Amino acid sequence: MVALLGLTWGATFLGIEIALRGITPFWLASARIGFAAVLMLGIWALRGGQLFLSERRDWPVVIAVSALSTAVPFMLLSWGQQYTTSGFAGVSMASIPLMILPLAHFFLVDDRITPRKSFGFAIGFVGVVILIGGQAFETTGAQLEPFGRLACLCAAGCYAVSSIYVRRLPPIDPVGLAAILLAIGAVIVIPLAWAVEGPPPRPPQETLIVLAILGLIPTAAANLLRIVVIRTAGPSFMSLTNYQVPVWSVILGASVLAEPLPPSLLWALAFILSGVALSQWEALKRLFAG
């Protein structure tokens, strides 16, 4: 599941870049979540529609997870990728494990920071600094590119916080949780898209096909896999996915969209992946040993 998620999310940024040619960013996010919500709600209904979430105090957490794992990061990524490359968006996702490390240490009892993790965190942090450094901004020439890059990094932060929240939820049906998260996300993002960008546009057929694929695979199916991995193996192990995401996004962005590969982007990728690999060495050994 970790390997499949890496490839799927790595290719997502390529799909977003293509879809933005025919639709505005917030409506792109709305279409992704809307397609996925309808699909997952249908599957959940066929399974009986049981959620097993009895405590009222858990519902605010579910709403927060929905906003941080779907609505907010989808809008940030869709908006940010207007001004930056799909490769940068993918590399920025590699900073998620670096954000998860301190969050897991303070909020999860079974995922503490060790000296090796701290050293890996420091190496990875150097990569993030390079990632947002001056040379890294010289790729598309767009006036708002720095803000586009910041939006991508903020989306990564949303994913990190939501991973901690998902782990802290009580026992719950993963299919039902995925369906509810996507449904709440659709309720959040569609009115915002209408308020900011007006009525939904009529995208060309090519864009509709890309939107359907984005909703089906990297949103609905991948969201379910993400929940299963976090609930069974923890958010830090889930962060292994982000080793692969930037690699695939950079490769696909360069090969399909002819996006540039500046040295700063490649150096950032090397530092970030080295840092997270060192910090999660035990998880890597379990992955390949099992």
Side-chain angles (χ1 to χ4, degrees):
M1 287 189 290
V2 166
L4 184 59
L5 281 171
L7 174 58
T8 300
W9 281 337
T12 299
F13 303 100
L14 172 62
I16 293 174
E17 202 79 13
I18 295 173
L20 283 170
R21 298 171 182 172
I23 193 170
T24 52
F26 281 16
W27 277 115
L28 189 158
S30 299
R32 282 186 65 185
I33 300 176
F35 274 122
V38 170
L39 175 64
M40 290 305 302
L41 286 171
I43 296 175
W44 183 39
L46 291 175
R47 287 169 48 90
Q50 296 182 350
L51 189 62
F52 305 112
L53 192 64
S54 57
E55 296 290 338
R56 289 185 178 181
R57 65 188 180 199
D58 294 325
W59 280 104
V61 177
V62 171
I63 295 173
V65 170
S66 178
L68 293 173
S69 64
T70 56
V72 176
F74 283 13
M75 287 188 291
L76 287 172
L77 286 172
S78 297
W79 184 87
Q81 279 196 244
Q82 295 179 108
Y83 309 108
T84 187
T85 64
S86 65
F88 180 91
V91 173
S92 67
M93 295 298 102
S95 63
I96 293 176
L98 306 177
M99 301 175 186
I100 286 179
L101 282 177
L103 291 172
H105 177 79
F106 289 107
F107 295 103
L108 299 176
V109 297
D110 57 347
D111 204 346
R112 301 296 188 183
I113 293 179
T114 63
R116 182 174 61 243
K117 284 185 177 182
S118 299
F119 186 55
F121 179 90
I123 294 175
F125 183 76
V126 171
V128 175
V129 171
I130 295 174
L131 183 64
I132 61 175
Q135 291 184 354
F137 291 123
E138 299 173 2
T139 51
T140 67
Q143 184 178 4
L144 294 178
E145 186 174 15
F147 297 98
R149 292 176 179 269
L150 179 62
C152 292
L153 292 171
C154 288
C158 290
Y159 286 128
V161 174
S162 68
S163 295
I164 301 298
Y165 273 130
V166 169
R167 179 66 169 180
R168 289 171 61 91
L169 283 172
I172 189 172
D173 175 44
V175 175
L177 179 59
I180 291 296
L181 293 180
L182 289 168
I184 295 174
V187 171
I188 295 173
V189 73
I190 291 175
L192 281 175
W194 200 299
V196 174
E197 298 176 345
R202 290 187 177 181
Q205 183 177 1
E206 174 187 323
T207 302
L208 287 174
I209 294 173
V210 174
L211 291 174
I213 294 173
L214 286 173
L216 174 64
I217 301 176
T219 308
N223 194 51
L224 176 59
L225 286 179
R226 174 177 178 265
I227 289 173
V228 172
V229 173
I230 292 174
R231 297 290 289 171
T232 57
S236 292
F237 191 83
M238 173 64 202
S239 69
L240 292 171
T241 301
N242 299 100
Y243 296 178
Q244 308 166 61
V245 169
V247 176
W248 285 113
S249 67
V250 170
I251 291 174
L252 292 172
S255 59
V256 178
L257 300 178
E259 292 180 346
L261 287 174
S264 59
L265 189 66
L266 299 178
W267 276 111
L269 177 63
F271 273 98
I272 291 173
L273 295 185
S274 298
V276 291
L278 180 62
S279 64
Q280 293 298 318
W281 182 250
E282 294 299 326
L284 277 171
K285 289 197 298 183
R286 291 199 307 271
L287 175 63
F288 291 108

